[in-house]
Every structure is written in C-alpha cells, then in structure tokens.
Amino acid sequence: MGTERKVNNRRKFFQTSAALVGGTLLYAIIKPFEALAQPKEEELKTDKANLPLWGMGVDLEKCIGCGKCAEACKIENKVPKEPFYFRTWVEQYTVKNDGTVKIESPNGGIGGLKQSVPDEEIFKSFMVPKLCNHCTKAPCVQACPVGATFISPDGVVLVDETYCIGCSYCIQACPYGARFMNPITKVADKCTFCYHRINEGLQPACVEVCPTNARIFGDLRDKESDLVNFLQVNPTQVLKPHLNTHSRVFYNGLSSEVK
Amino acid sequence: MEEHYKHLYEALSQVDGYIYPNEIDLHWGLMIVLYPYITGLVAGAFILASLERVFNVKVLKPTYGLALLTALSFLLVATLPLVSHLQHPLRAYEILMTPNPTSAMAIFGFVYLWYLMVVLLLEIWFDYRLDFVLWSKKSTGFKKYFYKIITLGINDTDEKSAKLDDKLGYFITLIGIPSAFLLHGYVGFIFGSIKANPWWSTVLMPVIFLFSAMVSGIALVMVIYMVVSWIRKVEIDMPCLDTIAKYLFYILIIDFTLESLDQIHRIYEAEESFDIIKVLVSGKLNITLLIMQVMLGTIIPLVVIGIFQVYKPAEKIRKFSYFFVGILVLIGIFFMRWNVVIGGQLFSKSLSGFTSFKAVYSGLEGYVMAAVWLIVPLLILTFLLWLMPPWKKVVTHE
Ligand code: SF4
Ligand code: SF4
C-alpha cells in the first residue's frame, strides 16, 4: 500500500460520498423551488381576472336554524352521516339574561335547532351557519406538507383526494373547525362550495335548499351579482378577523358572541 | 370503523361546553406525542456528545460514543410513528417529492434527512473507521464482513489518516450542533406556527422544544450509561456522571424558566384564549402538567441535583439518585410533549368547550404500539453496542 494508493482510496471515497451528499442536498434545495414554480405556470395559463372569484354572504337575520343546508350538503357531497363530520353546520347562540352564552349545534343542526333554554331566561338568540371560509390567506393551504390542499384559480379552497397523505395538519391549522378527516376516503375533507355544481352554473346545495335565502353565493368580481349587492348594502364582517385569513364568507349582523 | 364511531359517540357524550362538530375526533394521538419526544431524545443525545467533542469537556468522554449511538438508534425510528399515523402512509414519500415550501412539516423531511445522512452517519463513520479496519482483521463471520464493507474500502491505519478522520469528524460535529438545534427547533415550529391554536402558537415554542430536547437527551444518555455499565459490570465513572447531572441541572433550569415565562406571559396578557386555557391547565391537564411534568419531571429533579451541587453524599446514593432523576426527567418530558400535543386539541377553537381524549391499548395508535416505538430504538442500540462497542475502540479522538 503506497501513499498514492491511500490517497486514491481516500479520494474515491470522498468523491462517492460527496456525490451522494451533494445529490441529496441539491435535490433538497431544488425540489421546494420546483414546487414553488408550479403555481406560477398555472397562473400564466389561466388569466385569473377573467375568472369568477367565488364567495358567500350569510344573512344572519334570515336564518331560522332549520338545518336544511347541513342536511343537503351531506347528501350532495356524500359526507358520512355520523354526527362528527360536517362541511357545513348551523350553530345556535343563546345569550341569557345573566350574560352567559350558550352555544349548541346538535348534529350540526340537521333536523332543525330547538331552543333548550326557557324563554324567560333568554336575552337574545340567533343562528349562525358555518362552513369553510375559503380564506384568501388560507392557513390550511400554508400548512399542507404536500400541497394537496390548494386554492383554485377561481378562489375555492380544495383538497386533491388522490394526493392527500392524511396527516391532518391542515385540520389543526384551520381556525374555524371547517375540516375533518373523512373516515371513508381517508383524506381531509371540507366544503368545496359544491365545486362540481358551480362549474355547471348551479348554486351550492346549501344555497339552493335554504328556504329563507339566508345564504347568498356569487362572484365577487361581478359587480351585478347578488353577492356584491349584499356586501354593498349591509355592514358585513368575517369570522375571527384578527387571524388575518382574509376569508371570503361574509356575515351580516354578526354578534360579538360568535366564535 | 364501527369501533371508531363507538369511540366518537362516547366522546360526544362527554363534550363539555361547545366545540365545533368536527372537533370531536382528535386528529393527533399518541403517535404524534412520540414523534417530538423521540426527535428530542436524538437532538439532546447528540448535543451531549458534542459538548465533549467541541466544547472539550473531557470528563464526558466515556459517554461520547454511547451518546452518538443512542442518537442514531432513536433517529432511525423517529419518523416511523409519524408515518404510521398517516391515513395514507404509502403516500408519505410525497413529502420529499413534492414538498410544499410554506409547510413546516414538509421542510422537516429534509432537515431529518440532512441530519441523518450528513451529520450522524458521517460523524459516527469518521469516529469508527479506523476501528472498523482493525476489528475487521480480528473478527470472524458476520462482524468481519460488516466491518469490511463499512470501511468502504478505506483501510489506511497510519497516523495521518487517523488525524484526518479526527479533523473531519470534528468538522461534522461543528455542523452538527446547529443541525441538532434546527432539527428540534423545527419540530417546535410545527406546533408554534399554528396560529389557529392559542396553546401552540407562541414564538417560544421552538426554543422550549429545543431545551426540553436537550434535557431529555441528556437524561436518556445518563440512564443508558448507568444501565450499560451495570450490565457490563464495570465501574461507573463518577466525575463523568456528576458532570452530566450538572449539565442536566443547568439546562433544566433554562427549560423551566422558558416554560414559566411562556405561562406568565399568557397569564399577564390574558388574551381572548386565556379563560379556556386556565380551565384546561387546572382541569383536564392538571395531572399530566402540574404533577407529571412540573412536579415529577422538573421540580424533584431540580431539587435533588441542586442539593448535590452543594452537598455531595456518598457515591452509592448519588448513583441511585441520578438514575431515579433521569427516569423522572424522561417521564416529565414525555408528558410535556403530551401536554402540548393532546392538550392543544382538548379545547375547541371556538374557545367555548372541551372534548376528551381516551387512548386505546391496541391498534396503530394505541399504547402497545407506542411502547413498541420506544423499545425498538433500545433494541437497535443494543445491536449497535454489540456491533461497535465504544469501549472497545482502539483510538479515540483527542
Ligand atoms: S376556513 Fe379553514 S379550511 Fe377553509 S380555507 Fe380557511 S383555513 Fe382552510
Ligand atoms: S391531511 Fe391532506 S390536505 Fe391536509 S395537510 Fe395533510 S396532506 Fe394536506
């Protein structure tokens, strides 16, 4: 074993290991950027300005807590009927005379909400339908490790069922409890604004069945739409504005008790 | 499935106050408690090894190799609980193929790989190469082949090559320290960056995770060192043990200070979420947080080792106490992870109510599986110690 041999040996080792390590590193460095680059390409293909930007208004004064929306949603979107999985639900708020607030949503309001507090104790009571807020700065999209949750070009937050690894990180990241792990498909599930329907020019199922038109669905870019009109004439608010999610579901007459 | 529903109906009947209907199912269970726990042990054990090497704390030499092998054994297992909890575990590789750059969890995959491939394996290799060469000449059978292959054909045994190994090993340790910080800081960030959850969302989270990781890793190596010495029937090096305990003491103080700071900050600012967190801490978490984590895992160890700093009783008592304290600390940090992961999901994001958590025994998410994930690294360590015993090393770095 001459010195030359030794040097060669060592050199060979360093070359191999450098190649291995370098390869891993390079891959590690390039990969994220590739992912970063992809949405941009898509952006180029579809001119966003020509697309609708979907949103929803909820007129709390009109909601009677019948729960038809929650029921229709489950049927339309094949959400398991067990009371742990909801794409949309209705909450009943009851502020009592002593100032305490009781919130209820048995079975998400399906079957209709009934008042459990005796009349004489009630200060005020109201219903609040909830769903995914289709946040513009969606924490769920930010958190998803593989990019299975994304915002469609027309502003709907969707989950790619063929891609989701089922880590539940997005569920943790959503401040509104709008997501659940579908026990059948085993992927994260949530309101899609009935994407399959709105693409056909139909209304989301919940909007369609609401007997009082408490939900107004529409294109935020269309100045003639009912939704834009609703936002124009009513002082509206979004849920948890301090979290800066820039959500696209707007409530009229939202009371400060609502969480 | 039926079983799962039954479980959920039971949880539904125990809901306290109002929770969003989708929150009855706790999405992260025991496996996600284990994940930061195990990664923390890795980072902590590695940092203890680095103390000896980079900061030149010579008394710690008897534990250097042991700490590295402990780190490796646990690191090999670290991602398994995480992957096994996925609903689609076979898709896990997508985290590496198409990572979402804004996701804390996605980047963890790369930090993990970097740490395993570049830091730990290389450092151990440089540390052992010469021994592998020498051992390969002396042994027979499987061991001989293993040593031969693992030298990767570099069989130099002269002093110059030993020096080079040493230098490169030192260099890797230097990179290793920030990497270990990164590894576990990152795990903290996975929780700390969730603004939806006030129990998790604090800038201190990565730092707290880091220090608690060091605490747990040091305690683990301390306990393992004692057990291995007993099994090998060799004398425990008391100055070494005393020094480890001293580091454990100081870092535990920092850890405790940071966590208290976090709590005091919460109490003083008393934000919107404070009311529910107060109920959480005094109610659902009182046993796991106040008794297991704070009392058993922090105060008692601090008092015991603290006393030893001023008054040193006989060796026998010290040994026994260190062992006892080490176990307590390990339990305490386990519950710290528990309180973060489970605690953070017990209250509703509506801040108006609580759900409950009932761990099961069987199944992928059960206690039995959790025990398996904690025992497997110990088996790996036993194997590694048999294969490459640090105490039989011919040479050690300067
Ligand atoms: S409401 Fe939740 S699920 Fe919907 S976009 Fe926002 S964070 Fe995502
Ligand atoms: S559960 Fe699916 S959609 Fe949600 S973060 Fe994980 S991979 Fe993404």
Side-chain angles (χ1 to χ4, degrees):
Chain A
M1 283 226 295
T3 8
E4 196 151 292
R5 173 77 197 291
K6 258 180 238 160
V7 171
N8 265 346
N9 256 344
R10 205 159 278 263
R11 187 178 302 151
K12 225 193 278 155
F13 168 69
F14 282 122
Q15 277 167 354
T16 337
S17 48
L20 275 176
V21 170
T24 322
L25 277 186
L26 196 71
Y27 183 74
I29 292 167
I30 289 179
K31 260 299 170 189
F33 288 108
E34 215 175 88
L36 207 73
Q38 264 158 12
K40 289 216 183 82
E41 259 168 51
E42 267 167 38
E43 242 171 74
L44 290 182
K45 267 184 258 156
T46 48
D47 195 352
K48 273 196 180 172
N50 292 333
L51 285 171
L53 181 65
W54 300 118
M56 189 182 280
V58 183
D59 199 342
L60 292 182
E61 270 150 40
K62 287 185 180 162
C63 180
I64 53 169
C66 66
K68 288 282 176 227
C69 49
E71 190 177 356
C73 172
K74 281 215 175 191
I75 297 167
E76 177 67 30
N77 296 298
K78 302 191 184 59
V79 175
K81 64 176 194 320
E82 280 71 22
F84 323 111
Y85 313 103
F86 295 91
R87 288 184 174 201
T88 184
W89 66 97
V90 187
E91 294 169 355
Q92 179 177 37
Y93 282 74
T94 309
V95 185
K96 295 189 202 164
N97 285 328
D98 62 8
T100 53
V101 183
K102 183 166 187 186
I103 315 171
E104 286 173 292
S105 184
N107 197 14
I110 293 177
L113 289 160
K114 302 189 182 56
Q115 186 53 268
S116 64
V117 180
D119 274 356
E120 58 279 9
E121 284 177 33
I122 300 176
F123 175 65
K124 66 172 176 177
S125 179
F126 50 90
M127 312 291 170
V128 183
K130 294 265 184 92
L131 66 159
C132 166
N133 292 276
H134 297 277
C135 311
T136 312
K137 295 185 180 176
C140 57
V141 173
Q142 184 185 37
C144 175
V146 295
T149 277
F150 59 98
I151 304 185
S152 75
D154 43 3
V156 182
V157 177
L158 298 171
V159 181
D160 182 342
E161 289 191 11
T162 62
Y163 213 69
C164 167
I165 61 174
C167 67
S168 303
Y169 200 26
C170 54
I171 303 177
Q172 307 290 0
C174 171
Y176 306 99
R179 294 179 157 246
F180 57 92
M181 188 50 68
N182 188 313
I184 294 155
T185 57
K186 301 208 174 298
V187 293
D189 201 328
K190 63 180 279 300
C191 160
T192 61
F193 273 159
C194 285
Y195 206 61
H196 57 290
R197 290 175 57 93
I198 58 177
N199 273 336
E200 304 284 318
L202 300 168
Q203 298 269 311
C206 56
V207 177
E208 181 135 330
V209 298
C210 179
T212 61
N213 292 326
R215 297 185 184 227
I216 304 109
F217 177 78
D219 175 5
L220 289 162
R221 287 209 180 95
D222 176 4
K223 299 290 168 248
E224 310 293 307
S225 69
D226 289 349
L227 177 61
V228 172
N229 179 46
F230 170 77
L231 294 176
Q232 223 157 25
V233 299
N234 294 300
T236 56
Q237 177 64 287
V238 293
L239 293 172
K240 303 193 181 184
H242 61 283
L243 291 179
N244 203 30
T245 53
H246 291 215
S247 86
R248 279 196 275 258
V249 173
F250 304 90
Y251 289 85
N252 172 31
L254 194 67
S255 201
S256 64
E257 290 86 8
V258 178
K259 305 273 172 112
Chain B
M1 184 88 79
E2 290 309 309
E3 186 74 10
H4 186 58
Y5 288 153
K6 224 179 86 198
H7 197 76
L8 291 178
Y9 274 111
E10 205 186 307
L12 182 62
S13 67
Q14 285 166 9
V15 166
D16 178 10
Y18 177 71
I19 70 172
Y20 295 133
N22 289 331
E23 286 180 325
I24 288 159
D25 200 354
L26 239 65
H27 298 97
W28 284 355
L30 255 184
M31 290 302 121
I32 306 293
V33 176
L34 281 185
Y35 154 69
Y37 185 55
I38 295 181
T39 349
L41 294 173
V42 175
F46 181 84
I47 288 167
L48 183 67
S50 321
L51 269 178
E52 191 271 333
R53 186 142 198 191
V54 177
F55 301 108
N56 229 350
V57 188
K58 283 286 170 259
V59 273
L60 290 182
K61 208 157 212 167
T63 54
Y64 173 75
L66 195 62
L68 279 188
L69 295 183
T70 305
L72 180 61
S73 314
F74 279 85
L75 189 66
L76 288 174
V77 176
T79 49
L80 297 181
L82 192 68
V83 171
S84 77
H85 119 281
L86 296 179
Q87 297 292 316
H88 281 281
L90 294 179
R91 293 181 189 167
Y93 68 94
E94 296 288 9
I95 297 186
L96 296 172
M97 302 308 284
T98 55
N100 173 11
T102 61
S103 166
M105 197 183 275
I107 306 305
F108 177 80
F110 294 95
V111 177
Y112 174 83
L113 274 186
W114 158 266
Y115 193 72
L116 176 69
M117 310 293 267
V118 183
V119 177
L120 256 187
L121 286 182
L122 274 187
E123 175 161 349
I124 294 177
W125 190 82
F126 281 121
D127 195 45
Y128 272 91
R129 191 199 58 86
L130 193 52
D131 299 286
F132 287 146
V133 177
L134 298 175
W135 288 344
S136 74
K137 290 180 186 146
K138 278 189 270 171
S139 26
T140 52
F142 165 75
K143 276 191 174 178
K144 187 178 183 75
Y145 287 112
F146 174 80
Y147 296 143
K148 273 226 146 95
I149 294 168
I150 200 81
T151 56
L152 303 174
I154 300 161
N155 295 317
D156 322 339
T157 49
D158 56 313
E159 207 168 290
K160 226 172 100 197
S161 62
K163 273 236 165 73
L164 188 59
D165 285 338
D166 192 29
K167 239 193 231 149
L168 289 169
Y170 180 81
F171 176 68
I172 301 273
T173 319
L174 274 188
I175 312 177
I177 298 172
S179 303
F181 276 49
L182 189 67
L183 180 76
H184 208 67
Y186 223 103
V187 178
F189 187 67
I190 288 181
F191 296 97
S193 62
I194 297 296
K195 68 177 168 187
N197 190 321
W199 184 236
W200 290 347
S201 171
T202 144
V203 276
L204 280 181
M205 197 59 109
V207 197
I208 291 177
F209 262 59
L210 194 62
F211 279 92
S212 57
M214 284 193 232
V215 168
S216 66
I218 293 175
L220 178 69
V221 176
M222 186 166 88
V223 170
I224 288 182
Y225 174 58
M226 295 170 89
V227 172
V228 169
S229 302
W230 280 322
I231 295 176
R232 286 179 55 222
K233 299 206 176 52
V234 297
E235 266 301 303
I236 291 176
D237 184 332
M238 263 336 260
C240 172
L241 203 58
D242 283 330
T243 313
I244 300 182
K246 194 174 77 192
Y247 280 113
L248 184 62
F249 178 67
Y250 289 131
I251 296 176
L252 197 52
I253 290 182
I254 301 179
D255 182 38
F256 190 44
T257 312
L258 283 170
E259 286 191 42
S260 311
L261 197 65
D262 188 35
Q263 295 310 331
I264 291 168
H265 180 84
R266 277 178 207 280
I267 294 169
Y268 195 80
E269 283 206 339
E271 285 183 359
E272 186 194 11
S273 58
F274 180 65
D275 294 335
I276 191 118
I277 285 178
K278 201 167 62 185
V279 183
L280 177 76
V281 170
S282 60
K284 297 239 169 202
L285 289 186
N286 66 355
I287 294 184
T288 52
L289 183 82
L290 300 176
I291 298 191
M292 303 307 263
Q293 184 187 335
V294 177
M295 202 58 213
L296 292 184
T298 314
I299 308 255
I300 296 182
L302 276 181
V303 170
V304 173
I305 315 182
I307 292 174
F308 291 178
Q309 301 308 308
V310 283
Y311 162 72
K312 275 206 172 24
E315 267 188 19
K316 219 172 170 176
I317 300 179
R318 285 202 329 267
K319 268 187 221 164
F320 176 77
S321 314
Y322 287 151
F323 185 78
F324 176 68
V325 159
I327 300 282
L328 280 188
V329 167
L330 285 171
I331 295 175
I333 301 289
F334 176 83
F335 278 101
M336 182 261 169
R337 313 296 187 220
W338 172 286
N339 293 328
V340 171
V341 177
I342 306 290
Q345 299 172 82
L346 286 179
F347 67 95
S348 165
K349 287 174 190 148
S350 68
L351 308 179
S352 309
F354 294 95
T355 181
S356 55
F357 175 70
K358 209 178 107 216
V360 286
Y361 282 95
S362 55
L364 275 180
E365 293 270 334
Y367 282 123
V368 177
M369 210 49 215
V372 168
W373 290 130
L374 287 175
I375 291 168
V376 169
L378 295 175
L379 296 180
I380 298 178
L381 180 64
T382 314
F383 174 71
L384 288 178
L385 288 176
W386 167 78
L387 193 62
M388 36 205 284
W391 50 88
K392 284 207 184 137
K393 277 170 65 62
V394 206
V395 268
T396 35
H397 54 270
E398 287 304 298

